[in-house]
């Protein structure tokens, strides 16, 4: 039986350990955007012992490359991108303090294990609903790697941004749970 939570970022491990695969979460506060090119740059900084452009502790990172905003809007369409492209980077991000990731699609076993070990959550956002998700973003500011265009790192302020827990801190995978529910044995 899933639960519904209204959470404010940054997230704590105490909070993430309460969440279970299938729970519905409405996030408010600051989240950051980063896709594969930005993740590589961020992990390179971590490995070099250099400072990141934002505080990783308790952070939630949204895998998105938003479209340009219409006049007066903070951001355009902001739908999730396929998450597996970040699989080689996400365990490092979790190890160094990030507590959440938002995207779409399955993650590999290394990411699921890192969620368990470091108290992280993989949230799914609804693909194809980028225009609606963009309406939950109240401000957007490029804070690093502007040369990456839509894939630059942005600081977003969100209000009740709707996500679903896909991978929790206990190793559960909502996608696998759904398959098992309907498999013929």
């Amino acid at each position: 039986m899933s639960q519904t939570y209204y959470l404010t970022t940054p997230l704590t491990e105490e909070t993430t350990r309460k969440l279970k695969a299938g729970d519905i979460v409405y996030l408010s506060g600051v989240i950051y955007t980063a896709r594969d090119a930005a993740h590589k740059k961020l992990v390179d900084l971590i490995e070099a012992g250099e400072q990141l452009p934002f505080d990783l502790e308790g952070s939630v990172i949204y895998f998105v490359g938003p479209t340009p905003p219409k006049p007066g809007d903070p951001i355009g369409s902001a739908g999730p991108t396929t998450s597996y492209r970040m699989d080689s980077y996400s365990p490092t991000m979790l190890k160094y303090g990030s507590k959440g990731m938002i995207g779409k699609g399955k993650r590999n076993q290394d990411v699921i294990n890192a969620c368990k070990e470091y108290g992280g959550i993989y949230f799914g956002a609804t693909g194809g609903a980028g225009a609606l998700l963009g309406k939950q973003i109240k401000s957007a500011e490029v804070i690093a790697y502007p040369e990456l265009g839509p894939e630059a790192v942005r600081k977003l302020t969100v209000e009740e941004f709707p996500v679903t827990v896909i991978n929790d801190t206990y190793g559960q995978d909502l996608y696998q749970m759904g398959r098992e529910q309907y498999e013929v044995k």
Side-chain angles (χ1 to χ4, degrees), residues 51-121:
Q51 187 172 349
L52 295 177
F54 62 93
D55 186 2
L56 207 52
E57 191 61 40
S59 66
V60 175
I61 301 173
Y62 187 20
F63 308 150
V64 61
T67 64
K70 292 178 183 174
D73 288 346
I75 201 163
S77 182
T81 196
T82 305
S83 300
Y84 75 83
R85 292 193 311 259
M86 276 56 73
D87 281 359
S88 61
Y89 307 112
S90 292
T92 299
M93 301 297 278
L94 291 165
K95 179 179 180 180
Y96 286 91
S98 183
K99 289 294 176 220
M101 305 159 282
I102 304 170
K104 68 177 181 183
K106 287 185 65 66
R107 307 306 299 276
N108 71 21
Q109 193 61 48
D110 290 341
V111 174
I112 293 168
N113 292 342
C115 285
K116 285 173 57 176
E117 184 174 355
Y118 304 116
I121 296 290

